[in-house]
Amino acid sequence: MRTEETILQQLIDNRLMSNNEEIDNYQDALDSLFVKEDHHSIGKLFNGFLDATENDEVMFSTVHAIEYFSKTMGLEKYILYVIPFLKKLDNDSYDWAETFFLRIINNDESFKMLINNIQSLKKIDLQFIEKLSKGLIKRNPEKFSIKCNIILDKLQY
């Protein structure tokens, strides 16, 4: 019988998804770690991201699995729970952290929840939100300046 630690390692080891075997192993681990009744599986699923993946489509199934919890936990609790995990993606999965952040700020209700609760986040999380916001503004000022500047104005740490 596989342990949760073994399954988590399987997810990590196969996140490049450079061949069908790795894709199958990744999906198997994702299916095993995604427990609908337990929002603690979110933290485990965040280990599956890798910017260098060769299969973005399958990687998006991890995004959708994590986003499932916004419905079961409630949006406010979900956002406050997920934001701290984003900084864990900084080194080799920054683009996926940005993807998550964009999905939050591009949804009006999620954006409002983030703004209303931003001061309840830890300083280290606020610093990463600042990094993400400034990076998005630099990348595409016309598209991201308004919402990201609202976020930056709310950051007080």
Side-chain angles (χ1 to χ4, degrees):
M1 182 171 207
R2 299 184 308 169
T3 65
E4 188 174 276
E5 186 177 301
T6 305
I7 297 167
L8 182 58
Q9 192 60 51
Q10 178 181 331
L11 184 78
I12 293 167
D13 290 346
N14 291 284
R15 59 190 181 163
L16 183 59
M17 293 188 261
S18 61
N19 58 50
N20 287 337
E21 182 181 357
E22 285 183 358
I23 292 169
D24 291 344
N25 288 337
Y26 182 90
Q27 287 180 311
D28 175 61
L30 176 64
D31 291 343
S32 296
L33 291 171
F34 176 60
V35 180
K36 289 184 177 184
E37 297 81 30
D38 183 8
H39 70 271
H40 292 98
S41 62
I42 292 172
K44 298 172 192 110
L45 296 173
F46 264 96
N47 289 291
F49 291 106
L50 182 68
D51 286 342
T53 189
E54 295 184 23
N55 197 316
D56 285 346
E57 296 82 22
V58 175
M59 191 70 63
F60 261 104
S61 63
T62 310
V63 172
H64 296 137
I66 293 169
E67 287 179 337
Y68 163 84
F69 292 100
S70 69
K71 294 167 183 55
T72 61
M73 296 173 72
L75 189 56
E76 182 176 26
K77 186 176 177 182
Y78 165 80
I79 289 171
L80 293 173
Y81 193 81
V82 166
I83 290 289
F85 287 108
L86 296 182
K87 68 184 171 297
K88 293 182 178 187
L89 302 179
D90 195 17
N91 292 328
D92 57 0
S93 306
Y94 182 82
D95 291 346
W96 288 102
E98 201 172 71
T99 297
F100 261 96
F101 190 65
L102 281 170
R103 291 171 75 88
I104 290 170
I105 68 172
N106 284 334
N107 176 286
D108 290 338
E109 189 176 353
S110 296
F111 179 70
K112 181 180 175 183
M113 292 291 177
L114 175 62
I115 294 301
N116 289 342
N117 292 285
I118 204 162
Q119 287 306 310
S120 65
L121 295 169
K122 293 180 180 177
K123 181 178 179 180
I124 192 166
D125 299 322
L126 297 174
Q127 290 170 331
F128 195 65
I129 288 172
E130 179 180 19
K131 178 180 178 176
L132 288 165
S133 297
K134 287 180 176 179
L136 288 171
I137 290 170
K138 185 177 180 179
R139 187 174 84 186
N140 190 336
E142 288 182 27
K143 190 171 184 179
F144 301 122
S145 286
I146 293 172
K147 285 190 174 180
C148 287
N149 279 323
I150 291 169
I151 291 168
L152 292 171
D153 288 343
K154 288 284 189 176
L155 298 178
Q156 299 170 6
Y157 49 89

PDB file of all heavy atoms in Angstrom, residues 57-93:
ATOM      1  N   GLU A  57      -1.705  21.521 -19.984  1.00  0.00           N
ATOM      2  CA  GLU A  57      -3.109  21.133 -19.889  1.00  0.00           C
ATOM      3  C   GLU A  57      -3.348  20.238 -18.672  1.00  0.00           C
ATOM      4  O   GLU A  57      -4.316  20.416 -17.937  1.00  0.00           O
ATOM      5  CB  GLU A  57      -3.583  20.423 -21.165  1.00  0.00           C
ATOM      6  CG  GLU A  57      -3.565  21.298 -22.406  1.00  0.00           C
ATOM      7  CD  GLU A  57      -2.188  21.389 -23.061  1.00  0.00           C
ATOM      8  OE1 GLU A  57      -1.336  20.497 -22.841  1.00  0.00           O
ATOM      9  OE2 GLU A  57      -1.954  22.373 -23.785  1.00  0.00           O
ATOM     10  N   VAL A  58      -2.470  19.276 -18.452  1.00  0.00           N
ATOM     11  CA  VAL A  58      -2.615  18.392 -17.297  1.00  0.00           C
ATOM     12  C   VAL A  58      -2.334  19.171 -16.021  1.00  0.00           C
ATOM     13  O   VAL A  58      -3.016  18.998 -15.007  1.00  0.00           O
ATOM     14  CB  VAL A  58      -1.698  17.154 -17.422  1.00  0.00           C
ATOM     15  CG1 VAL A  58      -1.757  16.307 -16.157  1.00  0.00           C
ATOM     16  CG2 VAL A  58      -2.096  16.317 -18.631  1.00  0.00           C
ATOM     17  N   MET A  59      -1.358  20.075 -16.076  1.00  0.00           N
ATOM     18  CA  MET A  59      -1.046  20.889 -14.907  1.00  0.00           C
ATOM     19  C   MET A  59      -2.259  21.726 -14.504  1.00  0.00           C
ATOM     20  O   MET A  59      -2.507  21.939 -13.320  1.00  0.00           O
ATOM     21  CB  MET A  59       0.159  21.786 -15.204  1.00  0.00           C
ATOM     22  CG  MET A  59       0.748  22.496 -14.029  1.00  0.00           C
ATOM     23  SD  MET A  59       1.629  21.467 -12.833  1.00  0.00           S
ATOM     24  CE  MET A  59       2.980  20.807 -13.760  1.00  0.00           C
ATOM     25  N   PHE A  60      -3.032  22.176 -15.485  1.00  0.00           N
ATOM     26  CA  PHE A  60      -4.237  22.940 -15.159  1.00  0.00           C
ATOM     27  C   PHE A  60      -5.263  22.097 -14.405  1.00  0.00           C
ATOM     28  O   PHE A  60      -6.100  22.643 -13.686  1.00  0.00           O
ATOM     29  CB  PHE A  60      -4.867  23.562 -16.409  1.00  0.00           C
ATOM     30  CG  PHE A  60      -4.498  24.999 -16.582  1.00  0.00           C
ATOM     31  CD1 PHE A  60      -3.556  25.371 -17.516  1.00  0.00           C
ATOM     32  CD2 PHE A  60      -5.075  25.990 -15.787  1.00  0.00           C
ATOM     33  CE1 PHE A  60      -3.195  26.692 -17.654  1.00  0.00           C
ATOM     34  CE2 PHE A  60      -4.725  27.312 -15.925  1.00  0.00           C
ATOM     35  CZ  PHE A  60      -3.776  27.669 -16.859  1.00  0.00           C
ATOM     36  N   SER A  61      -5.193  20.783 -14.525  1.00  0.00           N
ATOM     37  CA  SER A  61      -6.100  19.953 -13.730  1.00  0.00           C
ATOM     38  C   SER A  61      -5.784  20.105 -12.239  1.00  0.00           C
ATOM     39  O   SER A  61      -6.682  19.995 -11.402  1.00  0.00           O
ATOM     40  CB  SER A  61      -6.023  18.479 -14.156  1.00  0.00           C
ATOM     41  OG  SER A  61      -4.746  17.934 -13.924  1.00  0.00           O
ATOM     42  N   THR A  62      -4.546  20.405 -11.914  1.00  0.00           N
ATOM     43  CA  THR A  62      -4.175  20.675 -10.527  1.00  0.00           C
ATOM     44  C   THR A  62      -4.767  22.011 -10.078  1.00  0.00           C
ATOM     45  O   THR A  62      -5.280  22.126  -8.962  1.00  0.00           O
ATOM     46  CB  THR A  62      -2.640  20.675 -10.369  1.00  0.00           C
ATOM     47  OG1 THR A  62      -2.114  19.490 -10.952  1.00  0.00           O
ATOM     48  CG2 THR A  62      -2.247  20.759  -8.909  1.00  0.00           C
ATOM     49  N   VAL A  63      -4.712  22.999 -10.951  1.00  0.00           N
ATOM     50  CA  VAL A  63      -5.332  24.298 -10.656  1.00  0.00           C
ATOM     51  C   VAL A  63      -6.814  24.094 -10.358  1.00  0.00           C
ATOM     52  O   VAL A  63      -7.342  24.592  -9.361  1.00  0.00           O
ATOM     53  CB  VAL A  63      -5.150  25.296 -11.826  1.00  0.00           C
ATOM     54  CG1 VAL A  63      -5.957  26.572 -11.595  1.00  0.00           C
ATOM     55  CG2 VAL A  63      -3.685  25.620 -12.051  1.00  0.00           C
ATOM     56  N   HIS A  64      -7.482  23.355 -11.214  1.00  0.00           N
ATOM     57  CA  HIS A  64      -8.927  23.142 -11.049  1.00  0.00           C
ATOM     58  C   HIS A  64      -9.243  22.337  -9.795  1.00  0.00           C
ATOM     59  O   HIS A  64     -10.245  22.596  -9.121  1.00  0.00           O
ATOM     60  CB  HIS A  64      -9.507  22.477 -12.291  1.00  0.00           C
ATOM     61  CG  HIS A  64      -9.395  23.339 -13.500  1.00  0.00           C
ATOM     62  ND1 HIS A  64      -9.009  22.849 -14.728  1.00  0.00           N
ATOM     63  CD2 HIS A  64      -9.577  24.669 -13.680  1.00  0.00           C
ATOM     64  CE1 HIS A  64      -8.967  23.835 -15.605  1.00  0.00           C
ATOM     65  NE2 HIS A  64      -9.306  24.949 -14.994  1.00  0.00           N
ATOM     66  N   ALA A  65      -8.388  21.383  -9.473  1.00  0.00           N
ATOM     67  CA  ALA A  65      -8.597  20.603  -8.241  1.00  0.00           C
ATOM     68  C   ALA A  65      -8.513  21.525  -7.025  1.00  0.00           C
ATOM     69  O   ALA A  65      -9.351  21.453  -6.124  1.00  0.00           O
ATOM     70  CB  ALA A  65      -7.572  19.480  -8.139  1.00  0.00           C
ATOM     71  N   ILE A  66      -7.531  22.404  -7.016  1.00  0.00           N
ATOM     72  CA  ILE A  66      -7.384  23.334  -5.894  1.00  0.00           C
ATOM     73  C   ILE A  66      -8.556  24.312  -5.860  1.00  0.00           C
ATOM     74  O   ILE A  66      -9.116  24.587  -4.789  1.00  0.00           O
ATOM     75  CB  ILE A  66      -6.023  24.062  -5.966  1.00  0.00           C
ATOM     76  CG1 ILE A  66      -4.889  23.057  -5.724  1.00  0.00           C
ATOM     77  CG2 ILE A  66      -5.967  25.216  -4.963  1.00  0.00           C
ATOM     78  CD1 ILE A  66      -3.499  23.583  -6.019  1.00  0.00           C
ATOM     79  N   GLU A  67      -8.950  24.813  -7.005  1.00  0.00           N
ATOM     80  CA  GLU A  67     -10.061  25.769  -7.052  1.00  0.00           C
ATOM     81  C   GLU A  67     -11.394  25.155  -6.645  1.00  0.00           C
ATOM     82  O   GLU A  67     -12.301  25.871  -6.248  1.00  0.00           O
ATOM     83  CB  GLU A  67     -10.167  26.395  -8.444  1.00  0.00           C
ATOM     84  CG  GLU A  67      -9.060  27.384  -8.723  1.00  0.00           C
ATOM     85  CD  GLU A  67      -9.139  28.000 -10.105  1.00  0.00           C
ATOM     86  OE1 GLU A  67      -9.765  27.378 -11.017  1.00  0.00           O
ATOM     87  OE2 GLU A  67      -8.583  29.092 -10.283  1.00  0.00           O
ATOM     88  N   TYR A  68     -11.501  23.857  -6.715  1.00  0.00           N
ATOM     89  CA  TYR A  68     -12.708  23.172  -6.259  1.00  0.00           C
ATOM     90  C   TYR A  68     -13.050  23.591  -4.829  1.00  0.00           C
ATOM     91  O   TYR A  68     -14.214  23.752  -4.473  1.00  0.00           O
ATOM     92  CB  TYR A  68     -12.505  21.650  -6.342  1.00  0.00           C
ATOM     93  CG  TYR A  68     -13.503  20.863  -5.541  1.00  0.00           C
ATOM     94  CD1 TYR A  68     -14.746  20.551  -6.071  1.00  0.00           C
ATOM     95  CD2 TYR A  68     -13.218  20.456  -4.237  1.00  0.00           C
ATOM     96  CE1 TYR A  68     -15.678  19.840  -5.329  1.00  0.00           C
ATOM     97  CE2 TYR A  68     -14.141  19.745  -3.493  1.00  0.00           C
ATOM     98  CZ  TYR A  68     -15.368  19.448  -4.037  1.00  0.00           C
ATOM     99  OH  TYR A  68     -16.293  18.753  -3.300  1.00  0.00           O
ATOM    100  N   PHE A  69     -12.035  23.768  -4.023  1.00  0.00           N
ATOM    101  CA  PHE A  69     -12.245  24.076  -2.612  1.00  0.00           C
ATOM    102  C   PHE A  69     -12.824  25.468  -2.369  1.00  0.00           C
ATOM    103  O   PHE A  69     -13.319  25.741  -1.281  1.00  0.00           O
ATOM    104  CB  PHE A  69     -10.952  23.872  -1.824  1.00  0.00           C
ATOM    105  CG  PHE A  69     -10.563  22.431  -1.742  1.00  0.00           C
ATOM    106  CD1 PHE A  69      -9.585  21.922  -2.582  1.00  0.00           C
ATOM    107  CD2 PHE A  69     -11.196  21.582  -0.856  1.00  0.00           C
ATOM    108  CE1 PHE A  69      -9.236  20.586  -2.525  1.00  0.00           C
ATOM    109  CE2 PHE A  69     -10.855  20.238  -0.787  1.00  0.00           C
ATOM    110  CZ  PHE A  69      -9.871  19.735  -1.627  1.00  0.00           C
ATOM    111  N   SER A  70     -12.784  26.341  -3.360  1.00  0.00           N
ATOM    112  CA  SER A  70     -13.404  27.661  -3.179  1.00  0.00           C
ATOM    113  C   SER A  70     -14.909  27.519  -2.989  1.00  0.00           C
ATOM    114  O   SER A  70     -15.534  28.342  -2.320  1.00  0.00           O
ATOM    115  CB  SER A  70     -13.101  28.576  -4.367  1.00  0.00           C
ATOM    116  OG  SER A  70     -13.759  28.132  -5.541  1.00  0.00           O
ATOM    117  N   LYS A  71     -15.469  26.455  -3.525  1.00  0.00           N
ATOM    118  CA  LYS A  71     -16.909  26.204  -3.381  1.00  0.00           C
ATOM    119  C   LYS A  71     -17.240  25.514  -2.056  1.00  0.00           C
ATOM    120  O   LYS A  71     -18.234  25.822  -1.427  1.00  0.00           O
ATOM    121  CB  LYS A  71     -17.408  25.376  -4.556  1.00  0.00           C
ATOM    122  CG  LYS A  71     -17.331  26.122  -5.883  1.00  0.00           C
ATOM    123  CD  LYS A  71     -17.531  25.184  -7.048  1.00  0.00           C
ATOM    124  CE  LYS A  71     -17.405  25.837  -8.390  1.00  0.00           C
ATOM    125  NZ  LYS A  71     -16.183  26.551  -8.649  1.00  0.00           N
ATOM    126  N   THR A  72     -16.381  24.600  -1.645  1.00  0.00           N
ATOM    127  CA  THR A  72     -16.678  23.848  -0.426  1.00  0.00           C
ATOM    128  C   THR A  72     -16.267  24.598   0.843  1.00  0.00           C
ATOM    129  O   THR A  72     -16.904  24.448   1.880  1.00  0.00           O
ATOM    130  CB  THR A  72     -15.987  22.467  -0.435  1.00  0.00           C
ATOM    131  OG1 THR A  72     -14.578  22.634  -0.503  1.00  0.00           O
ATOM    132  CG2 THR A  72     -16.477  21.641  -1.619  1.00  0.00           C
ATOM    133  N   MET A  73     -15.208  25.405   0.765  1.00  0.00           N
ATOM    134  CA  MET A  73     -14.727  26.150   1.929  1.00  0.00           C
ATOM    135  C   MET A  73     -15.403  27.506   2.063  1.00  0.00           C
ATOM    136  O   MET A  73     -15.416  28.082   3.136  1.00  0.00           O
ATOM    137  CB  MET A  73     -13.213  26.417   1.815  1.00  0.00           C
ATOM    138  CG  MET A  73     -12.345  25.207   1.829  1.00  0.00           C
ATOM    139  SD  MET A  73     -10.609  25.623   1.487  1.00  0.00           S
ATOM    140  CE  MET A  73     -10.132  26.426   3.014  1.00  0.00           C
ATOM    141  N   GLY A  74     -15.895  28.007   0.963  1.00  0.00           N
ATOM    142  CA  GLY A  74     -16.336  29.385   0.900  1.00  0.00           C
ATOM    143  C   GLY A  74     -15.191  30.215   0.352  1.00  0.00           C
ATOM    144  O   GLY A  74     -14.024  29.961   0.649  1.00  0.00           O
ATOM    145  N   LEU A  75     -15.513  31.191  -0.470  1.00  0.00           N
ATOM    146  CA  LEU A  75     -14.504  31.938  -1.198  1.00  0.00           C
ATOM    147  C   LEU A  75     -13.529  32.685  -0.284  1.00  0.00           C
ATOM    148  O   LEU A  75     -12.322  32.653  -0.491  1.00  0.00           O
ATOM    149  CB  LEU A  75     -15.186  32.919  -2.168  1.00  0.00           C
ATOM    150  CG  LEU A  75     -14.288  33.631  -3.156  1.00  0.00           C
ATOM    151  CD1 LEU A  75     -13.495  32.630  -3.987  1.00  0.00           C
ATOM    152  CD2 LEU A  75     -15.130  34.526  -4.051  1.00  0.00           C
ATOM    153  N   GLU A  76     -14.033  33.323   0.733  1.00  0.00           N
ATOM    154  CA  GLU A  76     -13.165  34.099   1.619  1.00  0.00           C
ATOM    155  C   GLU A  76     -12.138  33.203   2.320  1.00  0.00           C
ATOM    156  O   GLU A  76     -10.936  33.477   2.302  1.00  0.00           O
ATOM    157  CB  GLU A  76     -14.005  34.847   2.652  1.00  0.00           C
ATOM    158  CG  GLU A  76     -13.190  35.720   3.583  1.00  0.00           C
ATOM    159  CD  GLU A  76     -14.083  36.517   4.529  1.00  0.00           C
ATOM    160  OE1 GLU A  76     -15.218  36.083   4.820  1.00  0.00           O
ATOM    161  OE2 GLU A  76     -13.630  37.575   4.966  1.00  0.00           O
ATOM    162  N   LYS A  77     -12.599  32.130   2.906  1.00  0.00           N
ATOM    163  CA  LYS A  77     -11.712  31.206   3.609  1.00  0.00           C
ATOM    164  C   LYS A  77     -10.714  30.585   2.623  1.00  0.00           C
ATOM    165  O   LYS A  77      -9.533  30.427   2.940  1.00  0.00           O
ATOM    166  CB  LYS A  77     -12.534  30.122   4.302  1.00  0.00           C
ATOM    167  CG  LYS A  77     -11.723  29.195   5.163  1.00  0.00           C
ATOM    168  CD  LYS A  77     -12.615  28.204   5.902  1.00  0.00           C
ATOM    169  CE  LYS A  77     -11.795  27.230   6.722  1.00  0.00           C
ATOM    170  NZ  LYS A  77     -12.621  26.238   7.397  1.00  0.00           N
ATOM    171  N   TYR A  78     -11.185  30.249   1.436  1.00  0.00           N
ATOM    172  CA  TYR A  78     -10.329  29.666   0.402  1.00  0.00           C
ATOM    173  C   TYR A  78      -9.181  30.610   0.043  1.00  0.00           C
ATOM    174  O   TYR A  78      -8.015  30.200   0.004  1.00  0.00           O
ATOM    175  CB  TYR A  78     -11.164  29.331  -0.840  1.00  0.00           C
ATOM    176  CG  TYR A  78     -10.350  29.060  -2.070  1.00  0.00           C
ATOM    177  CD1 TYR A  78      -9.746  27.823  -2.272  1.00  0.00           C
ATOM    178  CD2 TYR A  78     -10.172  30.036  -3.046  1.00  0.00           C
ATOM    179  CE1 TYR A  78      -8.989  27.573  -3.399  1.00  0.00           C
ATOM    180  CE2 TYR A  78      -9.417  29.791  -4.180  1.00  0.00           C
ATOM    181  CZ  TYR A  78      -8.829  28.560  -4.354  1.00  0.00           C
ATOM    182  OH  TYR A  78      -8.065  28.315  -5.468  1.00  0.00           O
ATOM    183  N   ILE A  79      -9.498  31.870  -0.214  1.00  0.00           N
ATOM    184  CA  ILE A  79      -8.461  32.832  -0.610  1.00  0.00           C
ATOM    185  C   ILE A  79      -7.432  32.990   0.501  1.00  0.00           C
ATOM    186  O   ILE A  79      -6.222  32.977   0.252  1.00  0.00           O
ATOM    187  CB  ILE A  79      -9.087  34.179  -1.013  1.00  0.00           C
ATOM    188  CG1 ILE A  79      -9.805  34.003  -2.351  1.00  0.00           C
ATOM    189  CG2 ILE A  79      -8.033  35.285  -1.106  1.00  0.00           C
ATOM    190  CD1 ILE A  79     -10.643  35.167  -2.774  1.00  0.00           C
ATOM    191  N   LEU A  80      -7.898  33.130   1.724  1.00  0.00           N
ATOM    192  CA  LEU A  80      -6.976  33.285   2.844  1.00  0.00           C
ATOM    193  C   LEU A  80      -6.134  32.024   3.056  1.00  0.00           C
ATOM    194  O   LEU A  80      -5.002  32.100   3.538  1.00  0.00           O
ATOM    195  CB  LEU A  80      -7.744  33.639   4.119  1.00  0.00           C
ATOM    196  CG  LEU A  80      -8.400  35.012   4.110  1.00  0.00           C
ATOM    197  CD1 LEU A  80      -9.267  35.202   5.347  1.00  0.00           C
ATOM    198  CD2 LEU A  80      -7.365  36.119   3.989  1.00  0.00           C
ATOM    199  N   TYR A  81      -6.660  30.890   2.678  1.00  0.00           N
ATOM    200  CA  TYR A  81      -5.940  29.628   2.815  1.00  0.00           C
ATOM    201  C   TYR A  81      -4.915  29.444   1.693  1.00  0.00           C
ATOM    202  O   TYR A  81      -3.806  28.963   1.914  1.00  0.00           O
ATOM    203  CB  TYR A  81      -6.937  28.464   2.839  1.00  0.00           C
ATOM    204  CG  TYR A  81      -6.341  27.155   3.275  1.00  0.00           C
ATOM    205  CD1 TYR A  81      -6.156  26.881   4.631  1.00  0.00           C
ATOM    206  CD2 TYR A  81      -5.963  26.183   2.355  1.00  0.00           C
ATOM    207  CE1 TYR A  81      -5.600  25.676   5.051  1.00  0.00           C
ATOM    208  CE2 TYR A  81      -5.414  24.988   2.759  1.00  0.00           C
ATOM    209  CZ  TYR A  81      -5.233  24.731   4.107  1.00  0.00           C
ATOM    210  OH  TYR A  81      -4.674  23.540   4.521  1.00  0.00           O
ATOM    211  N   VAL A  82      -5.285  29.830   0.474  1.00  0.00           N
ATOM    212  CA  VAL A  82      -4.443  29.588  -0.702  1.00  0.00           C
ATOM    213  C   VAL A  82      -3.294  30.591  -0.825  1.00  0.00           C
ATOM    214  O   VAL A  82      -2.176  30.206  -1.202  1.00  0.00           O
ATOM    215  CB  VAL A  82      -5.304  29.594  -1.987  1.00  0.00           C
ATOM    216  CG1 VAL A  82      -4.459  29.679  -3.232  1.00  0.00           C
ATOM    217  CG2 VAL A  82      -6.171  28.346  -2.037  1.00  0.00           C
ATOM    218  N   ILE A  83      -3.537  31.843  -0.525  1.00  0.00           N
ATOM    219  CA  ILE A  83      -2.519  32.881  -0.726  1.00  0.00           C
ATOM    220  C   ILE A  83      -1.166  32.489  -0.102  1.00  0.00           C
ATOM    221  O   ILE A  83      -0.127  32.630  -0.763  1.00  0.00           O
ATOM    222  CB  ILE A  83      -3.004  34.249  -0.202  1.00  0.00           C
ATOM    223  CG1 ILE A  83      -4.127  34.803  -1.091  1.00  0.00           C
ATOM    224  CG2 ILE A  83      -1.861  35.246  -0.075  1.00  0.00           C
ATOM    225  CD1 ILE A  83      -3.712  35.263  -2.469  1.00  0.00           C
ATOM    226  N   PRO A  84      -1.110  31.984   1.127  1.00  0.00           N
ATOM    227  CA  PRO A  84       0.202  31.622   1.680  1.00  0.00           C
ATOM    228  C   PRO A  84       0.949  30.528   0.906  1.00  0.00           C
ATOM    229  O   PRO A  84       2.172  30.452   0.974  1.00  0.00           O
ATOM    230  CB  PRO A  84      -0.126  31.147   3.105  1.00  0.00           C
ATOM    231  CG  PRO A  84      -1.387  31.863   3.445  1.00  0.00           C
ATOM    232  CD  PRO A  84      -2.158  31.910   2.147  1.00  0.00           C
ATOM    233  N   PHE A  85       0.243  29.709   0.172  1.00  0.00           N
ATOM    234  CA  PHE A  85       0.902  28.665  -0.610  1.00  0.00           C
ATOM    235  C   PHE A  85       1.580  29.222  -1.857  1.00  0.00           C
ATOM    236  O   PHE A  85       2.484  28.598  -2.403  1.00  0.00           O
ATOM    237  CB  PHE A  85      -0.090  27.568  -1.020  1.00  0.00           C
ATOM    238  CG  PHE A  85      -0.498  26.687   0.119  1.00  0.00           C
ATOM    239  CD1 PHE A  85      -1.763  26.783   0.658  1.00  0.00           C
ATOM    240  CD2 PHE A  85       0.382  25.765   0.663  1.00  0.00           C
ATOM    241  CE1 PHE A  85      -2.150  25.980   1.718  1.00  0.00           C
ATOM    242  CE2 PHE A  85       0.013  24.951   1.727  1.00  0.00           C
ATOM    243  CZ  PHE A  85      -1.260  25.062   2.253  1.00  0.00           C
ATOM    244  N   LEU A  86       1.154  30.386  -2.323  1.00  0.00           N
ATOM    245  CA  LEU A  86       1.706  30.937  -3.556  1.00  0.00           C
ATOM    246  C   LEU A  86       3.206  31.174  -3.462  1.00  0.00           C
ATOM    247  O   LEU A  86       3.938  30.906  -4.412  1.00  0.00           O
ATOM    248  CB  LEU A  86       0.990  32.233  -3.946  1.00  0.00           C
ATOM    249  CG  LEU A  86      -0.495  32.107  -4.280  1.00  0.00           C
ATOM    250  CD1 LEU A  86      -1.049  33.466  -4.703  1.00  0.00           C
ATOM    251  CD2 LEU A  86      -0.743  31.068  -5.356  1.00  0.00           C
ATOM    252  N   LYS A  87       3.671  31.673  -2.332  1.00  0.00           N
ATOM    253  CA  LYS A  87       5.106  31.969  -2.202  1.00  0.00           C
ATOM    254  C   LYS A  87       5.954  30.698  -2.286  1.00  0.00           C
ATOM    255  O   LYS A  87       7.129  30.764  -2.627  1.00  0.00           O
ATOM    256  CB  LYS A  87       5.384  32.757  -0.933  1.00  0.00           C
ATOM    257  CG  LYS A  87       5.183  32.011   0.346  1.00  0.00           C
ATOM    258  CD  LYS A  87       5.379  32.911   1.551  1.00  0.00           C
ATOM    259  CE  LYS A  87       4.972  32.254   2.831  1.00  0.00           C
ATOM    260  NZ  LYS A  87       3.564  31.902   2.933  1.00  0.00           N
ATOM    261  N   LYS A  88       5.356  29.553  -2.021  1.00  0.00           N
ATOM    262  CA  LYS A  88       6.091  28.297  -2.137  1.00  0.00           C
ATOM    263  C   LYS A  88       6.412  27.975  -3.597  1.00  0.00           C
ATOM    264  O   LYS A  88       7.249  27.128  -3.878  1.00  0.00           O
ATOM    265  CB  LYS A  88       5.307  27.153  -1.500  1.00  0.00           C
ATOM    266  CG  LYS A  88       5.177  27.298  -0.002  1.00  0.00           C
ATOM    267  CD  LYS A  88       4.444  26.143   0.609  1.00  0.00           C
ATOM    268  CE  LYS A  88       4.392  26.330   2.114  1.00  0.00           C
ATOM    269  NZ  LYS A  88       3.835  25.187   2.800  1.00  0.00           N
ATOM    270  N   LEU A  89       5.745  28.660  -4.506  1.00  0.00           N
ATOM    271  CA  LEU A  89       5.958  28.431  -5.935  1.00  0.00           C
ATOM    272  C   LEU A  89       7.016  29.367  -6.520  1.00  0.00           C
ATOM    273  O   LEU A  89       7.306  29.317  -7.710  1.00  0.00           O
ATOM    274  CB  LEU A  89       4.640  28.615  -6.696  1.00  0.00           C
ATOM    275  CG  LEU A  89       3.477  27.719  -6.276  1.00  0.00           C
ATOM    276  CD1 LEU A  89       2.242  28.036  -7.102  1.00  0.00           C
ATOM    277  CD2 LEU A  89       3.837  26.248  -6.382  1.00  0.00           C
ATOM    278  N   ASP A  90       7.587  30.221  -5.703  1.00  0.00           N
ATOM    279  CA  ASP A  90       8.475  31.284  -6.177  1.00  0.00           C
ATOM    280  C   ASP A  90       9.669  30.784  -6.973  1.00  0.00           C
ATOM    281  O   ASP A  90      10.032  31.370  -7.982  1.00  0.00           O
ATOM    282  CB  ASP A  90       8.944  32.132  -4.991  1.00  0.00           C
ATOM    283  CG  ASP A  90       9.562  33.454  -5.416  1.00  0.00           C
ATOM    284  OD1 ASP A  90       9.353  33.877  -6.566  1.00  0.00           O
ATOM    285  OD2 ASP A  90      10.254  34.070  -4.596  1.00  0.00           O
ATOM    286  N   ASN A  91      10.304  29.710  -6.570  1.00  0.00           N
ATOM    287  CA  ASN A  91      11.562  29.298  -7.196  1.00  0.00           C
ATOM    288  C   ASN A  91      11.406  28.631  -8.555  1.00  0.00           C
ATOM    289  O   ASN A  91      11.970  29.101  -9.538  1.00  0.00           O
ATOM    290  CB  ASN A  91      12.348  28.383  -6.256  1.00  0.00           C
ATOM    291  CG  ASN A  91      12.836  29.127  -5.042  1.00  0.00           C
ATOM    292  OD1 ASN A  91      13.134  30.313  -5.109  1.00  0.00           O
ATOM    293  ND2 ASN A  91      12.896  28.450  -3.916  1.00  0.00           N
ATOM    294  N   ASP A  92      10.660  27.553  -8.629  1.00  0.00           N
ATOM    295  CA  ASP A  92      10.582  26.832  -9.902  1.00  0.00           C
ATOM    296  C   ASP A  92       9.177  26.779 -10.494  1.00  0.00           C
ATOM    297  O   ASP A  92       8.930  26.081 -11.476  1.00  0.00           O
ATOM    298  CB  ASP A  92      11.154  25.414  -9.777  1.00  0.00           C
ATOM    299  CG  ASP A  92      10.473  24.578  -8.714  1.00  0.00           C
ATOM    300  OD1 ASP A  92       9.543  25.072  -8.050  1.00  0.00           O
ATOM    301  OD2 ASP A  92      10.884  23.413  -8.546  1.00  0.00           O
ATOM    302  N   SER A  93       8.273  27.550  -9.891  1.00  0.00           N
ATOM    303  CA  SER A  93       6.888  27.536 -10.367  1.00  0.00           C
ATOM    304  C   SER A  93       6.248  28.928 -10.285  1.00  0.00           C
ATOM    305  O   SER A  93       5.044  29.051 -10.088  1.00  0.00           O
ATOM    306  CB  SER A  93       6.058  26.549  -9.539  1.00  0.00           C
ATOM    307  OG  SER A  93       6.657  25.280  -9.535  1.00  0.00           O
TER     308      SER A  93
END
